[in-house]
Amino acid sequence: MSRATRLINRLDKVLARHDSFGDDPAAFVESVFAEIEEQLELVKAKSKPEHWAEIYVERDRARIKEQVLNRVMARGSESID
């Protein structure tokens, strides 16, 4: 398992501990980042292009997921009206 994969897995575990982020999910960014900072330092210590490519792909997945879920929520609210 690469260091980038470990960082992503750690991030997923930290996020999974929360059932809700309330009305201000951005308020959680600093505390979540603090919990993955050790893994980030390990990635930086042995920085490889493959590690950063994996992180970029994961970021793009998150963006796509956000857009898809926004559409799901919009369609769900249409059926409620």
Side-chain angles (χ1 to χ4, degrees), residues 7 17 38 41 44 50-51 59-60 79:
L7 181 142
R17 290 197 309 240
E38 185 177 320
E41 291 305 317
K44 287 171 49 180
E50 308 88 61
H51 291 159
R59 182 210 47 204
D60 293 344
S79 65

Side-chain angles (χ1 to χ4, degrees), residues 68-79:
V68 169
L69 291 175
N70 284 340
R71 287 184 184 188
V72 167
M73 291 168 52
R75 290 210 182 154
S77 68
E78 289 171 1
S79 65

Side-chain angles (χ1 to χ4, degrees), residues 22-58:
D23 293 334
D24 188 15
F28 288 81
V29 171
E30 288 302 320
S31 63
V32 170
F33 187 81
E35 292 197 52
I36 68 159
E37 204 153 10
E38 185 177 320
Q39 290 294 332
L40 171 58
E41 291 305 317
L42 292 173
V43 171
K44 287 171 49 180
K46 195 168 189 175
S47 186
K48 294 181 179 179
E50 308 88 61
H51 291 159
W52 298 108
E54 185 177 346
I55 291 168
Y56 288 131
V57 169
E58 188 65 22

Side-chain angles (χ1 to χ4, degrees), residues 11-19 21:
L11 175 57
D12 288 341
K13 286 179 185 176
V14 170
L15 292 171
R17 290 197 309 240
H18 300 278
D19 290 331
F21 296 97

